[in-house]
Amino acid sequence: TLFIGNDSGTTHLAHVLGAPTIAIVGGGSWGRFFPYGSTVNIRYFFHEMDCFGCNWNCKYEKKFCLTDVSVADVSKAALEMISGKTK
């Protein structure tokens, strides 16, 4: 019904196979793997920061680009995608 994952092979596979997909991605390798191409049937979640592209050499105590992703936002999008309210 819906796949939720991080920037991983299984998330890419779900998207390529046409499954509704939510991808939670950080800024470490921003643009290298995700996000890419089509936005049909996929939603990306991240906390945008000025240090995107850091190659995961984080200058902060936490990887806020991931840890500050809102659970409520992801849950809302999941419910919308399951109900067919969004692409």
Side-chain angles (χ1 to χ4, degrees):
T1 304
L2 174 69
F3 182 87
I4 301 174
N6 62 343
D7 188 350
S8 67
T10 52
T11 304
H12 291 271
L13 184 59
H15 178 58
V16 168
L17 293 174
T21 303
I22 291 178
I24 301 168
V25 297
S29 56
W30 185 255
R32 184 172 177 197
F33 304 110
F34 274 131
Y36 65 82
S38 172
T39 57
V40 174
N41 239 6
I42 189 164
R43 296 276 311 271
Y44 300 103
F45 286 88
F46 53 90
H47 177 74
E48 190 167 359
M49 300 180 70
D50 64 350
C51 51
F52 270 28
C54 68
N55 202 32
W56 298 111
N57 294 314
C58 192
K59 63 183 180 180
Y60 298 104
E61 66 183 63
K62 290 184 185 177
K63 292 176 174 51
F64 292 112
C65 56
L66 287 171
T67 61
D68 283 2
V69 171
S70 164
V71 173
D73 289 344
V74 173
S75 296
K76 180 181 176 194
L79 292 173
E80 289 172 352
M81 292 176 84
I82 289 170
S83 70
K85 290 183 180 177
T86 63
K87 289 187 195 181

